[in-house]
Amino acid sequence: MKHKKMTRMAWLTKFRVAGFYLSLGLVLLALAGLFSRGLNLGLDFTGGYLTEFSTSEAVSQQEMRRALSAYLPGDFALSSAEQGTYWTVRQADNVSSVQGADWLDKLAQELAAKPRAITLVPQDAIYMGSQVGEELIEQGGLALLTAAVVILLYLAIRFEWRLATGAVAALCHDVILVLGLFAWTGLSFDLTVLASILAIIGYSLNDSIIVGDKVRELMKRQSDASMETVINLAIQSTLVRTLITSGTTLATILSVWLLAGTSLNGFSVALFAGILVGTFSSVAISATVPQLLGLTADYYQKQQEAVCPLP
């Protein structure tokens, strides 16, 4: 029994170390995508035209895109809902989009002339200025930076600075990987995705604090054990709870992804990826970084002796 426990501990240590270096590689890959490709910012950030219309009959995505390509001079993003009867077209804010401003009337005439005589009904047309997007990017970046600094200060006071560093490192890891995913895949980055990034910060922090609190508890109770043993025991005691929480959350997000329509695809993808990497980072990063920074299991015992030295 003892041999099995030692084998499990050794396996967990190898998993943590391998996961840590894998995370470093993924972060570098994500940063490479962000710097080389950048984010595909949505209209909320870049500005442009948003046009919504409905059709009397369902139309396939390929057929509608082919029809629109004949009238829209520039690039556009097309999404559908309600089984192909409600459509959303996004155009960038440029001269070519303005030149093709009467495309909706021409499209309606073409659809009406088809054998099926499809009726097109305009629903809404909105212009969003890019200045709003610049303000949102600045405020969102400041919010992320402020949150990371405040979290680091709070955890350093509440726990210990190396445990705090591990939690913030895991948080930054999760955010960077999700942003890298959007950079490499070219998925649209809009306000709903920004909201999911803020949610990922909270979820990642929650997991890291749970592991860190267990590490601190075991450090006080088993000051004679090695730091490696303390961290492995902390992960083992919280792993079941972490997997259950992550599993139920992922199931909920998957339902939103499959059933909520294309408007929430980016939000669902970001949250799904963020929870996956957040669960992984709570083991591979937030629990491993303090050990690499030199935290010892007898830290609290030494701290107590320094405050109340024995005669």
Side-chain angles (χ1 to χ4, degrees):
M1 188 72 179
K2 185 176 181 181
H3 176 70
K4 288 184 179 180
K5 185 176 181 181
M6 294 296 293
T7 303
R8 195 183 307 118
M9 289 289 187
W11 177 86
L12 188 55
T13 300
K14 292 180 180 179
F15 174 80
R16 286 195 298 109
V17 174
F20 178 78
Y21 288 108
L22 174 62
S23 296
L24 287 181
L26 291 176
V27 167
L28 292 177
L29 181 63
L31 290 175
L34 287 171
F35 285 114
S36 63
R37 300 169 62 93
L39 293 172
N40 179 22
L41 297 177
L43 292 183
D44 299 329
F45 298 101
T46 62
Y49 299 89
L50 176 67
T51 307
E52 297 178 345
F53 60 90
S54 60
T55 54
S56 57
E57 296 184 24
V59 182
S60 67
Q61 186 91 4
Q62 294 80 2
E63 183 180 356
M64 181 61 72
R65 180 171 292 278
R66 187 165 52 250
L68 286 171
S69 298
Y71 301 107
L72 297 184
D75 293 333
F76 62 91
L78 176 67
S79 59
S80 63
E82 299 181 9
Q83 298 180 344
T85 59
Y86 195 93
W87 299 88
T88 301
V89 179
R90 294 175 173 85
Q91 294 173 271
D93 184 7
N94 51 42
V95 177
S96 62
S97 295
V98 176
Q99 291 174 346
D102 59 343
W103 61 269
L104 193 59
D105 294 334
K106 296 179 180 178
L107 178 63
Q109 294 173 8
E110 178 185 342
L111 294 178
K114 286 181 175 293
R116 290 189 293 171
I118 300 175
T119 303
L120 186 150
V121 181
Q123 298 293 335
D124 200 2
I126 304 173
Y127 172 76
M128 301 180 65
S130 59
Q131 185 62 37
V132 176
E134 293 174 3
E135 182 180 352
L136 287 171
I137 292 175
E138 181 180 351
Q139 291 180 351
L142 288 175
L144 291 175
L145 180 61
T146 303
V149 172
V150 172
I151 288 168
L152 181 60
L153 292 176
Y154 169 75
L155 293 180
I157 297 172
R158 185 70 178 84
F159 295 99
E160 197 270 344
W161 72 268
R162 281 163 286 203
L163 289 172
T165 303
V168 174
L171 184 153
C172 295
H173 162 272
D174 300 343
V175 172
I176 290 173
L177 287 193
V178 173
L179 293 178
L181 173 65
F182 274 75
W184 282 111
T185 59
L187 291 171
S188 177
F189 188 92
D190 54 22
L191 279 181
T192 62
V193 180
L194 179 60
S196 69
I197 295 293
L198 297 176
I200 289 168
I201 290 177
Y203 190 91
S204 174
L205 181 62
N206 178 64
D207 260 3
S208 298
I209 285 180
I210 289 174
V211 175
D213 186 59
K214 195 64 179 180
V215 169
R216 182 184 61 169
E217 177 187 336
L218 292 174
M219 285 169 63
K220 291 181 178 180
R221 284 168 36 193
Q222 302 184 20
S223 58
D224 56 337
S226 65
M227 195 63 209
E228 179 181 307
T229 302
V230 168
I231 291 177
N232 289 340
L233 288 174
I235 293 174
Q236 281 187 331
S237 59
T238 59
L239 187 60
V240 174
R241 175 259 168 211
T242 299
L243 292 178
I244 291 175
T245 303
S246 300
T248 53
T249 309
L250 287 174
T252 303
I253 297 172
L254 185 61
S255 300
V256 174
W257 190 354
L258 297 176
L259 303 176
T262 57
S263 60
L264 289 179
N265 273 354
F267 175 82
S268 304
V269 170
L271 263 186
F272 195 90
I275 290 175
L276 283 179
V277 299
T279 303
F280 178 75
S281 67
S282 65
V283 175
I285 296 182
S286 65
T288 305
V289 167
Q291 181 183 353
L292 298 177
L293 291 177
L295 183 62
T296 58
D298 59 350
Y299 168 80
Y300 288 103
Q301 183 179 356
K302 290 180 179 179
Q303 190 179 51
Q304 188 175 5
E305 291 175 355
V307 175
C308 304
L310 295 175

